[in-house]
Amino acid sequence: MGLTHIRTPKNFDLDERLERYADAIETNAPGLVGRWAQACWPIDPQRSDGRDRFREVRLDLGCGKGAFIAQCAQLYPDILFIGMDVEPICIAYAAQRACDEGLRNMVIVPRGANALPEIFCEGELSAITLNFPTPYPKRHHARRRLVNVDHLLGFRRLLAPGATITLRTDSQPLWEYAKGQFKAAGYTIRWASSDTRADHPETPVTEYERRLTERGATVFGICAEPGSEPDAAGIQRGRDAEQSLMCYLPADLFSLDYVPLGMEAAVENFRNRERKGKARIPGNTRS
Ligand SMILES: C[S@@+](CC[C@H](N)C(=O)[O-])C[C@H]1O[C@@H](n2cnc3c(N)ncnc32)[C@H](O)[C@@H]1O
């Protein structure tokens, strides 16, 4: 079974789970636009700190089963962590985690990236994390990558001053591609790391990080913040770079110790071609 395929476990009644953990799922997210920090603040007469809202709102886009934000929520009780995902099983698991752990600062929103403009207002988010976003390696799926220049341009207006976007991925090709896309969208890179676990050991481990590092992956990362508005030519250069992620692999595919998630079949295919002595396909035409 591939790691990207989510199979419903035996005896798993999805509707029943979604209903049981509904307290942690926000189905009317557009109704909270601009008010997340206040609206989600728990009404608790025992609290004596005088606050009536969360200090910040942070988004984990593509949160999966919620392990990462649950750890963040434990660490920072006065920050609201919102996890968004499009996969109903992930929503159910993430919401279960929030309920079981009693995390009143963790909310799951069952929506995808395209819904962001109707869910958050300008400057509402103090951070966005993109942990192991689906890489969409094929050229004709490039626009679906969450680090694509157009997604990054959309995220800019949601970020508060000083807010950051952090990417973590097992895919060096996606990381190389993302560096160019962040630049094209006018971001300033605070740090780029080819081993985030070594460079930022305090960061909670995500489900995919745990599973993929067990297979030999290293985690690549970028943390960036919006800089000055990008010009049209720069944005266009980012769009023009929308090629297959295969282009970012080394010329010698046999030198790879680890093949990133989602590229296994394509790499095997190209290795087989070379084994059979077929002509190398130039990098920029790999689809
Ligand atoms: C590889 S998993 C990573 C999960 C988790 N972040 C982790 O690191 O363990 C990618 C997740 O992104 C979700 N996803 C893919 N496209 C998305 C989109 N456009 N908006 C929100 N979530 C998306 C998938 O459903 C999946 O749960």
Side-chain angles (χ1 to χ4, degrees):
M1 185 175 94
L3 278 173
T4 45
H5 178 80
I6 302 169
R7 189 183 288 166
T8 311
K10 214 172 163 190
N11 300 327
F12 186 97
D13 181 341
L14 182 59
D15 290 338
E16 184 274 328
R17 293 281 185 121
L18 291 170
E19 204 176 309
R20 194 174 350 148
Y21 301 113
D23 277 357
I25 303 174
E26 183 51 67
T27 49
N28 179 30
L32 299 185
V33 64
R35 318 189 286 119
W36 285 94
Q38 302 95 302
C40 295
W41 182 251
I43 300 165
D44 185 349
Q46 300 303 317
R47 290 188 84 109
S48 54
D49 57 8
R51 298 184 71 92
D52 64 354
R53 53 177 291 151
F54 285 103
R55 182 162 63 83
E56 289 176 22
V57 181
R58 297 188 190 175
L59 172 68
D60 188 29
L61 187 56
C63 65
K65 295 180 184 172
F68 177 80
I69 50 164
Q71 295 170 79
C72 295
Q74 293 274 13
L75 286 169
Y76 304 104
D78 57 348
I79 295 177
L80 178 65
F81 290 89
I82 300 176
M84 280 177 69
D85 208 290
V86 287
E87 187 61 61
I89 297 182
C90 292
I91 304 297
Y93 276 122
Q96 174 172 1
R97 199 181 280 275
C99 293
D100 287 353
E101 295 181 26
L103 296 169
R104 298 166 81 188
N105 58 331
M106 171 173 166
V107 180
I108 306 301
V109 174
R111 301 290 297 273
N114 291 341
L116 286 174
E118 32 169 319
I119 294 179
F120 300 108
C121 74
E122 205 172 315
E124 190 161 18
L125 297 174
S126 63
I128 298 178
T129 42
L130 305 171
N131 288 323
F132 299 83
T134 310
Y136 297 109
K138 291 188 175 165
R139 182 189 356 219
H140 61 277
H141 290 152
R143 284 173 178 251
R144 295 187 193 170
R145 297 174 196 148
L146 292 179
V147 289
N148 160 283
V149 63
D150 288 299
H151 276 301
L152 295 177
L153 288 169
F155 299 154
R156 283 181 68 109
R157 68 167 275 285
L158 309 178
L159 295 172
T164 56
I165 298 189
T166 306
L167 164 74
R168 288 183 199 86
T169 178
D170 66 313
S171 172
Q172 183 165 8
L174 185 69
W175 180 66
E176 300 287 0
Y177 165 84
K179 282 192 240 175
Q181 299 291 292
F182 273 112
K183 197 171 160 214
Y187 284 76
T188 305
I189 304 226
R190 276 200 195 174
W191 54 257
S193 165
S194 55
D195 186 349
T196 61
R197 190 45 54 203
D199 294 344
H200 303 278
E202 71 291 351
T203 311
V205 176
T206 85
E207 279 124 11
Y208 269 72
E209 175 173 357
R210 184 178 49 74
R211 291 164 69 183
L212 298 176
T213 50
E214 279 168 13
R215 289 181 169 194
T218 313
V219 182
F220 296 83
I222 296 173
C223 178
E225 63 186 312
S228 45
E229 285 291 331
D231 60 26
I235 295 171
Q236 193 54 47
R237 272 195 299 280
R239 290 184 182 135
D240 292 344
E242 283 171 354
Q243 64 267 81
S244 161
L245 291 186
M246 292 295 285
C247 303
Y248 296 84
L249 284 172
D252 178 9
L253 293 179
F254 292 96
S255 68
L256 279 178
D257 294 329
Y258 173 81
V259 178
L261 183 67
M263 297 180 85
E264 299 90 339
V267 167
E268 199 42 36
N269 189 13
F270 280 102
R271 281 175 173 165
N272 281 337
R273 285 182 67 87
E274 293 191 16
R275 276 189 200 104
K276 287 176 189 159
K278 292 201 178 159
R280 251 209 105 79
I281 296 178
N284 63 4
T285 63
R286 286 175 177 172
S287 60

